Amino acid sequence: MDFSKFLDDDFDVKDWVNGVFKTVQKDAPGKVDGHAATLVMKLQLFIQEVNNAIEESSHQALQNMPRVLRDVEALKQEASFLKEQMVLVKEDIRKFEQDTVQSMQVLVEIDQVKSRMQDAAEALQEADKWSTLSADIEETFKTQDVVVISSKLTSMQSSLAMLVDTPDYSEKCVHLEALKNRLEAMASPQIVATFNSQTLEQAKVFVKVFMEIDRMPQLLTYYYKCHKGQLVTVWQDLCQSELSLDRQLTEFYDTLLATWHSQLQWSSQVFKNPYEIVTVLLIQTLGAMVPSIPVCLSTGMERAGQEAKLLTLLDLYETAAHFAKGLEAAMLPHLGESNLLKVGELVTAVYGSYRPYQLQYGELEESHLLIQISAVPLERGEVMDCVQELSHSVNKLFSLATAAVDRCIKLTDGLGMCGLLKALKALFTKYVSDFAGTLQSIRKKCKLEDMPNGSLFQEDWTAFQNSVRIIATCGELLRQCGAYEQQLANRFLLTAGRYLSDSYSPSSLTGIQEASATDRRSSTRNPWQEYNYLLKGNAAEYASLMEMLYNLKEKGTGNSSLLAEPRSALTRLNQQAHQLAFDSVFLRIKQQLVLVSKLESWSSSGSGETLTEALPTFSLSPLEYITNIGQYIMSLPLHLEPFVTQEDSALELALHAGKLPFPPEQGDDLPELDNIADYWLGSVARATMQTYCDVILQIPELTPHSTKQLATDIDYLSNVMDALGLQPSRMLQQIVTLLKTKPEDYRQTAKTLPRRLASTFAAMRRLDY
C-alpha cells in the first residue's frame, strides 16, 4: 500500500477511505468486508513500524546529549581564555603608547620639516621653470603658433600659482597679462576671420586656447562684435531703403530670428553654453542699432498725423510682438538650458522701446477716440434727419468702444485697462454732450420753448413720434452699454487676470511683491510671459489695476461698475429724451391753458349777466379752450398705443428706466406704474390739472356767471378724466367745491379746505370771508 498520502498537508481521512473502497466495490462488491479486515491489519502493522522508528530515534538522541553538553562547556572555556588574552593585549598597547609618545612627536615634527622642504623644492623648481619659460617665451612668440604659445602661457600661469608669496608676484602677474594681451592681439585677425567665415575647426581651437589662458570673455567679445556688426549693417541698409518703418522693422526682425536659428546651430558645436551666448548676441545687437528703435519710433509717431498716431504705434508694435512670439516659440523647448536673467534682458530689449508709449496709452486712446467720435454726425437740418443720425450713432459709438478694447489688449496685454477706462469715459462724455446738444436743437426746431400767440389749436403728433424714436435710441444705448460693460470685464479678466496672484489681497501692501516672489519660485518660469511694463513704469496704476481685477474676480463680471459714470450719463440722457417727449405732448395743452387767466369773460358783466345768474349750471357749455384740451387728452391713448403693442426691447428698457414729471400723489393707489401707456397718460393728465390749477389762481376776478362757467369747465375736464379712468387732483376738486359753494355757505364750506386757497377764491369772487 501507498502510505505517502498521510504526509500531505491537506490529508482528509474520509477521502482516503472512500478512495480505497471505491475500486473494491466495482471489481468485487462481495469482498468489501474481507478487504476492510486486510486494510485494518496493514494499518496496525504500519503503526507498529512507526512506533519502533520513533523509539529508536529517541534512544539515539538521549545518547548524543552528553556529547553536546561537553562541546558547549569547552566552547565556554575557550571564550573566557580569549577574553583574558584581549585584556593583556590592550594593556600592552597602552604601555607601548606611554613609552613611545615622545618618539612619535619627534617623528611628526620630522615629517612636517620634510613636507616644508618638499614645498620649498617645488617652489624653487617652479621659480626656475618660470625663469626658463620667461626666457623662452620670446622665441615661442616668433613661431606665431597660437597653440604652442598658449601652452607656454598656461605653464607660466601654473608656475605663477606656486609663487603667490614671492615679493615680485604682482610684477609677474602684470607680465603674464601683458603676454596674454600680446597673444590675443596677434590672434585677433585670425579670430575675426574665423568668426566671419564660420570655420568650425578653427573656432574650436580658439575656444580651447582662450579657455586655457582664462580669456573666454574676450573671445566672446570678438564673436559678438563680428556678428553684431553684420546685423547693424543690415539695419542701416534697411533704413536707407524706400520701405516704410513697419516694413523695415519686420525685415530686420526676420533677419534676427534667422540669425538666432543659424547661430544657435553653429554655436552648439563650438561653445559650452550656446543658448546664453546667442541670447546675449541679440541683446547687444538691439542695443547697438543706429538709428535706435526708440528714435525710429519717435520719428514715425511725429510724421503720423494726430488721427493716425495710435494706429501707427499699433502697426509698429505688432512687428515687435510677432518677432517676440517667434523667439519665444524657438526658446520654449530649451528654457531650462537658458540663462533666464539674460532671456529677461532680451525680452526687455525687444519690448522696452515701446514702454513709454504703452504708459501713455490712455492719453493716446482718448485723443484717438475723441477724433473718431467728432466725425460721427448727430446734428442735421431737419428733425427727422437728426433722429435718424442719433439712431445710427449708437452702433458707431460701441464699434469705436469695442475697437478701443482690441487696441488696448494688443498694445498693453490688458495692463492699460485704467487708461482705457479714462479714454472711454471721455468718449461717452463727448457723445452724451453732443447728443444732449442735438436734443436741445430738436427742442428749438420743434418750438417747444416758444408759446405762440392766439388761441388757434392744432394737433401735431410729429414731435412726439420723433421723441419716442429718440427714447428707443436711448434704450438701445443703455442695452448696449450693459452688454459692452460685461464684455469689457470678461475680456480683461481673461487677459490681464493672469497678472493677479491667488494670494493677492487689496489690504496687503506687499501683495504685488508676494506674487512676484511666488512667480520666481515657480519651476516653469517664462520671461516672455512675465514681462510687465506697468509694474516698474507706474506702480500706483498697477496697484489700482490689481484691485480692479480682484473685485471683478470676487464679485463676478456681471456686477462690475467699470462704466458706472457713462451709464449714469446715458441714464440722464434718457431722462432728457423723456422730458422732450413729455414737453412735445404737453405743449398743445399748455398753449391753451396759458390763455385761461387772460380771458376777458371772467370779469366782464354783460347785459345777460343778470339773466344767466338765475340759470342752473347744467345749462352752461364748457368753453372752447377746455374742450380742445379734453379732446386732445382723449386722443392720447391712441398715440400711446405703440408703448403697449410694439415689440421693442430697447424702447421698453428706456421707458422703464426713465421718469416723467408729475408723478402720482402720495397715497394714490394707482396701478398705472405697471403699464407704460397708463403711466404716460397719468403724467400728462396730472400736469394738465396742476397747470390748470396754477392758471386759475392767476385769474384776477370772477363774476357770478364766470364762476359757474369755470366750474362747468372744470367739471368737463373731470368727466374727461373719469372717462380715461383717472381721478381729478385734490386741488382741482377743492377749487370746484369753492366755485360751486353759494356765497352764504362759503365761510362754512371753506373751514374744511386749505386757508390760503379759500382766501384766494373769496377775493376772486369778491366774497366777505
Side-chain angles (χ1 to χ4, degrees), residues 82-98:
L82 180 61
K83 181 179 180 183
E84 292 173 358
Q85 288 297 109
M86 290 181 68
V87 170
L88 290 174
V89 170
K90 185 177 180 182
E91 182 64 25
D92 290 342
I93 292 173
R94 187 182 63 78
K95 185 177 180 182
F96 178 77
E97 286 180 348
Q98 289 177 350

Side-chain angles (χ1 to χ4, degrees), residues 547-564:
E547 187 171 354
M548 197 180 303
L549 290 171
Y550 176 80
N551 290 332
L552 284 177
K553 187 177 179 181
E554 290 297 310
K555 298 178 182 177
T557 55
N559 299 317
S560 68
S561 56
L562 298 178
L563 299 178

Side-chain angles (χ1 to χ4, degrees), residues 359-469:
L359 292 171
Q360 297 172 19
Y361 164 72
E363 292 82 356
L364 292 170
E365 186 64 72
E366 180 177 337
S367 175
H368 181 77
L369 287 176
L370 290 179
I371 291 173
Q372 295 294 313
I373 197 64
S374 297
V376 176
L378 298 181
E379 179 69 43
R380 292 290 184 186
E382 298 296 328
V383 173
M384 181 66 73
D385 296 334
C386 289
V387 174
Q388 193 75 20
E389 291 295 347
L390 290 176
S391 178
H392 291 164
S393 69
V394 178
N395 288 332
K396 295 177 183 178
L397 170 69
F398 287 99
S399 295
L400 291 176
T402 302
V405 178
D406 295 336
R407 288 191 292 270
C408 180
I409 291 175
K410 283 182 181 177
L411 184 62
T412 71
D413 198 24
L415 292 173
M417 182 179 180
C418 295
L420 173 66
L421 290 178
K422 291 178 183 176
L424 289 176
K425 180 181 176 183
L427 170 69
F428 280 100
T429 300
K430 166 68 174 168
Y431 177 79
V432 168
S433 174
D434 292 348
F435 199 114
T438 304
L439 289 183
Q440 195 62 31
S441 173
I442 291 174
R443 290 183 71 89
K444 292 180 179 178
K445 290 173 181 176
C446 294
K447 299 179 181 180
L448 298 184
E449 307 296 338
D450 301 335
M451 295 301 297
N453 296 324
S455 59
L456 181 62
F457 184 78
Q458 292 180 339
E459 287 192 25
D460 185 2
W461 295 93
T462 306
F464 176 68
Q465 292 166 356
N466 287 329
S467 300
V468 171
R469 291 184 61 193

Side-chain angles (χ1 to χ4, degrees), residues 582 586 589-590 593 633 661-663 680-694 721:
F582 179 84
F586 191 62
I589 298 174
K590 191 174 181 181
L593 290 177
I633 293 176
F662 303 97
W680 271 76
L681 183 61
S683 179
V684 173
R686 284 186 293 275
T688 302
M689 291 185 285
Q690 180 63 49
T691 307
Y692 193 25
C693 291
D694 293 340
M721 298 301 170

Side-chain angles (χ1 to χ4, degrees), residues 219-278:
L219 180 65
L220 289 175
T221 300
Y222 283 105
Y223 172 78
Y224 296 140
K225 188 175 180 181
C226 289
H227 293 289
K228 181 173 62 178
Q230 296 172 10
L231 291 170
V232 170
T233 302
V234 171
W235 169 244
Q236 290 173 341
D237 292 342
L238 284 170
C239 289
Q240 293 173 3
S241 67
E242 297 298 323
L243 296 173
S244 60
L245 179 56
D246 61 323
R247 287 302 308 158
Q248 292 174 6
L249 285 170
T250 300
E251 294 284 341
F252 184 65
Y253 284 143
D254 289 345
T255 303
L256 287 182
L257 193 56
T259 301
W260 164 269
H261 290 290
S262 62
Q263 286 305 307
L264 186 61
Q265 184 179 3
W266 187 83
S267 299
S268 298
Q269 304 174 67
V270 177
F271 301 113
K272 288 184 177 180
N273 49 344
Y275 292 100
E276 179 178 344
I277 288 171
V278 181

